[in-house]
Amino acid sequence: MAAVYALVCWAARQYSIDQFNLTAGVRVAALLVCPPRLWAYLILGEYAYFAQVRIPMIDKYGLAWVVLGSACLMPAVALVVQLHRRRMQVTSETWLLSVAACAAVLTALIKLSLSHLLWPIPPANPFLTSALRYALGDYIGILTLAPLALLWARRSTSYDWNVWRRPATVASLASLLAIGVFAALLPEASAAAKTSLQLLMALPVIVLTCMHGWRGAAIGVSLLNLIINATTPSTGLPGSYDARTFMTQQLIAVACTALLVLGSRITHYYHQYAARARDGEHAVSVSRNAHLANEMDLRERALDLRRIADNIEDSITEAVALLRVHGHNEPAARLLDASAAHSRQFREKTSMVYPTALEQVGLYLVLQAGGIREAWDTSHRVVASHLTGDPCQMSVGLQLATYRTLTEAVSLLLRNEYGQIRVSARCGQWGGQRGILVSVALLDRHRPLSGETETMALERLTARPLAYGGTVQCRGNRIRMVLMEAATPPVHGRTAPRYETSHYNPA
């Protein structure tokens, strides 16, 4: 590890200049990737790298500077990273900017202070000027590699790579590289044009940040800094400096900082939204399962009542047969008629507990010919229903939820409003969703629902539509409800339902 780190630092130094110190980025990136128990090997690798670079400088700068200047940098940066390690577990990545700023300023002060104190001939450049150059160079170098190291350290974190983002991502990266190549090919005389192109490269990085949050900002900022450094004129010697590019780098450093902060906030709020969405989906799933469990309980009760009714009918049939054997035909006929009437009423009431016929013939036929229809006809206030579409394409759970919500809405209007009521329903498929739109309205369009009725409707009817991704609305004289579910492939070659305008025929 020490040998690899020393080799990477040596390679980064070949690509670095004072105003773009990539070795500072290697130092912080290695500390972020490696756990603290391995930092001793990184420090050893740092000493090996400095030994190869600075031992030949002993005669010029002195042994004290070579030893102290090589020994202080890595421990100082390691201390900065250690003080920020608790923040590494949080969702936001803005702490990395604090690491970059503190490490850049601290290393710049250490390097300049030791050089002014220990060099036989102190540097000629003013202290503050050199400090700004070194600090900015280290800061940009850290922003180039540290975000990539942090992404690698968190590579196990799941990430939603949506298909629609791929073309825009590829286009942004391609445009960033194209602008960089074009800026590198411009002659030295076109300094203003090159500066404009370097600033223009921030636009694709903004797009990447908006699409991918922190990940887009980290990759975009790293590429942006590398390309700008590649287009910076350099003598290839230590201390190489370009004043025009330095001014551009100051603007880019501010822009990169802002983009990393923006990307971090986008990712933070995306995680919050995703967590809330997962909680909402879980709540909807729990609610739906609770409704289904309640329906299954009612189904068992209805079947038990049916079995009891069948046993009663068998007993009455035996009694009727016994009366006829003894010549009591008239009492037997009256008992049989009364039994038939009561049995029909009992089955109608039982079907209102749980509409078992819904599982075989669908929602619409139950509404047209079931026990609920008899109850509506008895009230003399519910007119013929207008039902379109094929409810059998929907799941039984969705049909049951619609049945309960619809019957409760009609019951609510019967108790709290006066006048005739019309029930309308339309089911079908919208994109990847299949659902039903139900309307329970007063026949008099000019008379709106009362405020009390609207409040009760929203309180009592909202649970099941929400469990199926729908809504409840009260508008004017009607209550509108939508219930939806994910569309599934047709069964046995059935096609998706088409919308119709004719009334549903229960026959």
Side-chain angles (χ1 to χ4, degrees):
M1 179 178 291
V4 170
Y5 176 79
L7 183 62
V8 172
C9 286
W10 176 84
R13 184 175 184 271
Q14 311 308 310
Y15 193 71
S16 300
I17 54 179
D18 284 352
Q19 62 197 71
F20 182 77
N21 187 10
L22 205 57
T23 56
V26 173
R27 188 178 294 120
V28 175
L31 292 171
L32 292 176
V33 172
C34 298
R37 67 178 183 274
L38 301 178
W39 285 2
Y41 301 103
L42 299 180
I43 296 176
L44 180 62
E46 176 103 341
Y47 292 166
Y49 158 70
F50 277 128
Q52 185 271 336
V53 172
R54 291 185 175 181
I55 285 179
M57 302 179 182
I58 293 178
D59 295 337
K60 182 177 181 180
Y61 298 111
L63 180 62
W65 174 80
V66 170
V67 174
L68 292 178
S70 303
C72 295
L73 293 182
M74 189 62 167
V77 177
L79 178 61
V80 171
V81 175
Q82 179 62 30
L83 293 176
H84 287 81
R85 283 194 69 83
R86 292 184 178 180
R87 300 292 300 169
M88 293 180 64
Q89 307 302 324
V90 301
T91 304
S92 177
E93 291 82 5
T94 52
W95 58 268
L96 185 60
L97 298 174
S98 176
V99 171
C102 293
V105 173
L106 185 60
T107 54
L109 292 177
I110 291 175
K111 287 186 290 186
L112 286 174
S113 299
L114 292 177
S115 62
H116 277 80
L117 291 174
L118 302 177
W119 281 10
I121 302 176
N125 293 330
F127 185 90
L128 292 179
T129 302
S130 298
L132 177 61
R133 184 186 305 177
Y134 286 149
L136 182 63
D138 287 1
Y139 183 73
I140 293 177
I142 295 172
L143 290 190
T144 302
L145 295 182
L148 298 179
L150 188 59
L151 287 182
W152 174 258
R154 296 180 175 179
R155 62 189 181 278
S156 60
T157 305
S158 60
Y159 179 63
D160 182 17
W161 177 262
N162 292 332
V163 176
W164 69 269
R165 290 177 177 168
R166 292 179 183 173
T169 302
V170 173
S172 299
L173 293 174
S175 60
L176 178 61
L177 296 176
I179 296 173
V181 171
F182 190 65
L185 296 177
L186 286 177
E188 293 297 330
S190 304
K194 179 176 290 189
T195 301
S196 299
L197 290 177
Q198 288 175 338
L199 295 176
L200 187 62
M201 284 189 290
L203 293 180
V205 182
I206 294 174
V207 175
L208 291 173
T209 303
C210 293
M211 288 191 299
H212 299 283
W214 162 256
R215 294 172 181 264
I219 296 175
V221 165
S222 300
L223 288 177
L224 176 62
N225 289 327
L226 290 173
I227 292 173
I228 290 180
N229 182 66
T231 59
T232 301
S234 174
T235 62
L237 300 175
S240 178
Y241 174 71
D242 183 72
R244 179 191 59 80
T245 306
F246 186 71
M247 296 299 297
T248 304
Q249 285 181 314
Q250 294 181 51
L251 298 176
I252 293 298
V254 174
C256 291
T257 303
L259 287 174
L260 289 173
V261 172
L262 175 62
S264 175
R265 302 314 297 169
I266 290 175
T267 301
H268 174 70
Y269 287 117
Y270 171 77
H271 286 320
Q272 285 190 338
Y273 169 79
R276 291 176 182 175
R278 288 192 299 270
D279 293 342
E281 292 175 358
H282 178 68
V284 167
S285 177
V286 170
S287 177
R288 186 179 301 182
N289 292 334
H291 288 305
L292 288 176
N294 183 55
E295 292 292 347
M296 292 302 100
D297 184 56
L298 293 176
R299 184 177 187 273
E300 292 299 323
R301 294 182 184 181
L303 293 178
D304 290 339
L305 292 175
R306 284 289 182 87
R307 284 190 288 269
I308 294 173
D310 292 339
N311 293 332
I312 294 176
E313 289 180 3
D314 293 340
S315 299
I316 293 177
T317 301
E318 293 177 1
V320 169
L322 185 61
L323 287 173
R324 287 177 177 174
V325 168
H326 291 81
H328 304 293
N329 293 327
E330 184 177 352
R334 290 198 303 267
L335 179 60
L336 189 60
D337 293 340
S339 173
H342 291 306
S343 176
R344 181 176 60 83
Q345 294 176 1
F346 184 84
R347 292 182 183 276
E348 291 174 356
K349 299 298 182 182
T350 304
S351 67
M352 296 176 66
V353 174
Y354 181 85
T356 53
L358 183 144
E359 300 175 3
Q360 288 79 33
V361 299
L363 171 66
Y364 286 174
L365 191 58
V366 171
L367 293 177
Q368 292 281 16
I372 192 64
R373 184 73 247 179
E374 294 292 333
W376 290 351
D377 290 342
T378 302
S379 68
H380 303 292
R381 292 180 55 192
V382 181
V383 301
S385 303
H386 185 77
L387 311 173
T388 59
D390 183 6
C392 295
Q393 292 281 359
M394 302 185 300
S395 66
V396 174
L398 179 58
Q399 294 185 65
L400 284 172
T402 305
Y403 174 82
R404 299 298 184 190
T405 308
L406 176 60
T407 54
E408 178 65 21
V410 173
S411 177
L412 187 65
L413 294 189
L414 288 175
R415 289 195 303 267
N416 296 277
E417 301 290 336
Y418 59 90
Q420 300 294 306
I421 301 172
R422 177 184 291 276
V423 174
S424 303
R426 168 175 292 189
C427 57
Q429 183 170 330
W430 299 266
Q433 297 286 323
R434 180 177 294 130
I436 183 169
L437 170 65
V438 179
S439 175
V440 181
L442 299 176
L443 204 59
D444 185 359
R445 297 183 178 182
H446 302 290
R447 186 166 57 84
L449 301 177
S450 64
E452 181 182 359
T453 302
E454 291 185 359
T455 302
M456 296 176 63
L458 294 176
E459 291 177 351
R460 298 184 182 182
L461 307 178
T462 304
R464 286 187 175 85
L466 283 180
Y468 283 89
T471 58
V472 176
Q473 296 177 343
C474 297
R475 293 184 177 179
N477 66 324
R478 69 187 63 233
I479 302 174
R480 297 181 62 187
M481 297 161 287
V482 177
L483 294 88
M484 295 181 295
E485 64 182 358
T488 56
V491 181
H492 303 302
R494 296 187 66 179
T495 58
R498 295 179 177 272
Y499 291 130
E500 303 173 0
T501 56
S502 60
H503 289 272
Y504 186 79
N505 183 5

